[in-house]
Amino acid sequence: MNEINPLLRRGLTHRRDFLRLMGVGAVGLAAAACGVEGQGGKQNVTQSEVEKYWAGKTKNGKLNWANWVGYMEDDRATLKAFTKATGIEVTYKEVINENAEWFGKIDAPLRAGQSIGFDLMVMSNGIQLEQARQLGYLVPLDHAKLPNFAANAGESFKNPPFDPDNTFTVPYTSGITGIAYNTKYVKEPITKWADLLDPKYKGKIGMMGDSQELGNVGMFLVGVDPERSTPEDWEKAAAKLREQRPLVRKYYTQDYIEAVTKGDVWITMAWSGDAYSLAGPEVEFVIPEEGGTIWTDNLCIPSTAENPVDALELMNWLYDPRANATLTEYINYITPVPATKDFIRQDAEAASGDEKKALEDLISSPLVFPTEADLAKLRRYRTLTQDEKEKYQSVFTPIPQGS
């Protein structure tokens, strides 16, 4: 891509400024089905079923894409470059504000086999993506048509537990849930989740109200890997979070970054991209020693898509490092394409002034390009069955509500 977006994400409205209830990061498709049957669909498919779906489908030269707010440059440089390279026109709409709301909109039409008006959408890993997967709402991907993904996706973004072998999804971008703290008020280094239970910060601690985000922190606090946790672990984690509750100023949805920047809270759960793009210079972000949560927002094709071949071509194109670099310069979250760093470095060398400094900061930021040591400390949400989902939510949802 020849265009360089001069407006980087720092200081701009971010997709995470909108509610995100369930948010988190693949190469050949499994040849045999091994999943559990869902209601009206199934989690995994055979290679023959993949071939059957894609047989006879052709490129139509257009597609409709539903995405979160703030996840594409204002001038749509990435989409313009894609159209120039492929001839495919993209109608792009920022209509997703949070997963539960979006799933509520698409559930009935997809259940009835009706169009939702989109050929491509972005869903965070979590409860709603798992529902869509089990209910057969997602198209199985033909990885033979995703060579850029095979060649350029980082290993940590392949074969995620929430979608084995990336059967239905590939990552769009990822982020980390860790701790942000204001160094104007917190003088000692923050290194662990247990620091959020320190009585000296009483009334100045922020937590997230989302059950999966909150639950993961509870699991870290009691020394449990969230991805392998049991209902008994959830109860122990919830007890620790209830112990913390008298110290908490507020359970936040989005406005925690403003609160920690202003000093309304001194230390808070936070998302990495918010800390990078929106926080004041006095705010530091840390991945705690016990571990942090990595979530992924995923590209997927709804089962009633009218232009799936075009959608698959866009998925593949976004894994070209040059194309992805321009997008990463805007989003400021973790790219699933590590080689983008080389192209961002080239852009920095060609830039000057504030733009050059911003690009250089982006290249060196562990919030955008985490080290292997950082990634090794990260865990995802527990993939929940329907019964487990109800149990999990009954354990953790009452905590921010005061019960």
Side-chain angles (χ1 to χ4, degrees):
M1 184 185 301
N2 295 322
E3 297 175 87
I4 300 175
N5 181 7
L7 298 175
L8 303 181
R9 283 311 282 157
R10 183 176 294 278
L12 299 180
T13 302
H14 200 279
R15 171 265 215 227
R16 297 287 164 183
D17 284 334
F18 293 80
L19 292 177
R20 181 182 64 86
L21 294 183
M22 303 292 171
V24 136
V27 188
L29 184 64
C34 58
V36 178
E37 292 285 338
Q39 300 174 13
K42 54 186 175 181
Q43 297 176 10
N44 296 304
V45 294
T46 63
Q47 183 63 35
S48 62
E49 288 174 305
V50 175
E51 293 171 357
K52 180 179 179 180
Y53 174 83
W54 290 100
K57 290 185 170 58
T58 59
K59 176 177 173 180
N60 295 324
K62 61 182 179 180
L63 70 92
N64 298 304
W65 182 4
N67 205 351
W68 297 76
V69 176
Y71 253 12
M72 183 64 62
E73 310 99 329
D74 294 338
D75 64 1
R76 307 292 190 255
T78 293
L79 298 181
K80 291 175 183 176
F82 172 70
T83 298
K84 183 177 180 180
T86 66
I88 298 172
E89 295 286 343
V90 182
T91 300
Y92 180 84
K93 295 185 178 180
E94 296 181 334
V95 293
I96 306 176
N97 291 322
E98 54 96 357
N99 277 295
E101 178 188 64
W102 177 246
F103 186 81
K105 291 179 179 179
I106 65 175
D107 183 23
L110 290 178
R111 188 181 296 267
Q114 299 172 350
S115 173
I116 63 169
F118 293 100
D119 308 297
L120 185 66
M121 58 186 180
V122 177
M123 294 187 70
S124 309
N125 71 296
I127 290 174
Q128 284 75 35
L129 181 61
E130 181 63 13
Q131 285 180 292
R133 204 168 67 99
Q134 291 189 14
L135 291 168
Y137 291 173
L138 306 179
V139 168
L141 303 179
D142 182 355
H143 278 267
K145 294 182 173 64
L146 292 171
N148 286 344
F149 176 81
N152 300 320
E155 289 304 314
S156 61
F157 296 95
K158 296 177 179 179
N159 194 30
F162 60 86
D163 183 22
D165 294 310
N166 288 88
T167 303
F168 300 98
T169 69
V170 295
Y172 182 64
T173 194
S174 287
I176 301 168
T177 304
I179 298 174
Y181 64 101
N182 192 317
T183 58
K184 182 178 178 181
Y185 305 100
V186 179
K187 300 302 181 182
E188 59 280 353
I190 298 300
T191 60
K192 52 189 181 297
W193 286 113
D195 291 329
L196 291 172
L197 278 72
D198 194 324
K200 67 185 174 186
Y201 301 130
K202 182 177 181 179
K204 295 297 183 179
I205 296 171
M207 298 292 287
M208 293 180 179
D210 168 63
S211 63
Q212 285 195 299
E213 290 282 21
L214 194 60
N216 265 30
V217 172
M219 245 80 77
F220 288 131
L221 286 169
V222 298
V224 171
D225 181 342
E227 295 180 62
R228 302 179 183 220
S229 60
T230 66
E232 291 75 20
D233 294 326
W234 305 342
E235 296 288 356
K236 293 176 184 177
K240 179 62 72 172
L241 292 168
R242 284 194 294 272
E243 176 187 321
Q244 179 213 28
R245 191 167 54 202
L247 306 177
V248 177
R249 177 184 179 92
K250 184 178 178 181
Y251 292 86
Y252 290 91
T253 52
Q254 297 296 322
D255 49 345
Y256 66 88
I257 280 294
E258 182 180 4
V260 74
T261 298
K262 288 182 176 180
D264 294 339
V265 297
W266 297 352
I267 180 171
T268 183
M269 289 176 64
W271 291 315
S272 56
D274 282 355
Y276 185 88
S277 298
L278 303 174
E282 68 283 354
V283 175
E284 297 286 343
F285 180 88
V286 63
I287 301 172
E289 294 173 356
E290 304 97 325
T293 299
I294 185 168
W295 44 262
T296 299
D297 288 337
N298 302 279
L299 293 158
C300 47
I301 301 173
S303 56
T304 56
E306 297 174 4
N307 305 291
V309 173
D310 304 84
L312 199 64
E313 187 163 344
L314 177 54
M315 284 174 147
N316 184 63
W317 190 82
L318 289 172
Y319 275 82
D320 176 270
R322 172 64 271 178
N324 196 280
T326 305
L327 191 61
T328 299
E329 289 170 8
Y330 182 78
I331 295 177
N332 291 174
Y333 271 99
I334 300 170
T335 172
V337 187
T340 59
K341 180 183 282 191
D342 296 333
F343 291 92
I344 295 174
R345 185 175 289 110
Q346 291 177 16
D347 292 345
E349 292 172 354
S352 60
D354 291 342
E355 183 183 352
K356 184 180 185 71
K357 177 64 166 57
L359 289 169
E360 290 173 343
D361 289 345
L362 190 73
I363 294 166
S364 62
S365 174
L367 304 188
V368 182
F369 294 100
T371 65
E372 288 302 317
D374 286 336
L375 290 173
K377 295 194 297 181
L378 302 179
R379 297 294 181 267
R380 297 182 176 90
Y381 305 123
R382 170 81 146 74
T383 300
L384 303 168
T385 65
Q386 180 64 28
D387 289 342
E388 288 174 335
K389 179 190 77 170
E390 294 175 1
K391 171 64 176 175
Y392 190 99
Q393 291 181 318
S394 73
V395 170
F396 292 108
T397 300
I399 293 172
Q401 299 171 349
S403 61

